[in-house]
Amino acid sequence: MAKVKFLKEDVEIDVPVHANLKEFCLANNLKLYLFPENIVNCRGKGFCQLCRIKVDKPENLSAPTEREEASVAYEGDQYRLACQCTIAKDGDLQIITRPRRIWGWRDHPAHNQLITEEQKVFGF
Ligand code: FES
């Protein structure tokens, strides 16, 4: 079991090793998608990127799939698709569902000076 903290939801849950994160989130009523994304998504095929998450320890998850390499890998190894990854080993893990995209004016150095350390770490 991995102890996973979902930061936006402020929930800590034990997740079994090899559990798919998308299926686990949906089974536990964690908001991986907002409306209308909860209706219009690729159903775990790795195409829509709507299940994008940010994790603090990517080494505790399964290796990135080809779909992840093609879609979210440019943002860094902390960004994953919940439908494509499973818990690989025991340990603590923090997850942010629906993290903000890294692009545009928020990448400007002036913006980075205005946000708090916690926002920088977790990408709110
Ligand atoms: S559900 Fe579409 S990429 Fe994960």
Side-chain angles (χ1 to χ4, degrees):
M1 290 278 189
K3 193 169 277 300
V4 179
K5 180 161 179 122
F6 292 88
L7 295 177
K8 281 188 179 173
E9 294 79 8
D10 197 23
V11 173
E12 194 166 306
I13 305 176
D14 288 333
V15 182
V17 174
H18 304 303
N20 178 280
L21 281 177
K22 173 191 178 248
E23 292 167 10
F24 185 83
C25 288
L26 296 181
N28 288 280
N29 291 324
L30 295 167
K31 294 204 175 198
L32 197 54
Y33 311 102
L34 298 177
F35 181 81
E37 297 161 354
N38 58 342
I39 298 169
V40 184
N41 64 64
C42 72
R43 309 285 179 212
K45 303 288 189 230
F47 291 115
C48 68
Q49 301 178 30
L50 296 176
C51 64
R52 199 171 138 270
I53 57 173
K54 184 176 183 182
V55 299
D56 69 332
K57 294 176 187 162
E59 64 273 11
N60 286 3
L61 297 177
S62 57
T65 63
E66 277 184 33
R67 299 243 194 264
E68 290 178 292
E69 294 286 354
S71 57
V72 292
Y74 75 95
E75 294 182 282
D77 58 358
Q78 290 186 310
Y79 291 87
R80 303 292 302 269
L81 298 176
C83 68
Q84 300 291 302
C85 60
T86 59
I87 300 288
K89 56 184 170 183
D90 293 339
D92 293 344
L93 188 66
Q94 293 184 336
I95 294 179
I96 298 171
T97 54
R98 307 176 316 277
R100 73 172 174 86
R101 291 270 178 197
I102 299 176
W103 58 28
W105 62 269
R106 287 181 170 175
D107 288 336
H108 194 277
H111 177 264
N112 286 331
Q113 291 174 355
L114 297 175
I115 61 177
T116 65
E117 281 303 313
E118 186 176 86
Q119 288 171 323
K120 284 180 187 171
V121 170
F122 296 117
F124 288 108

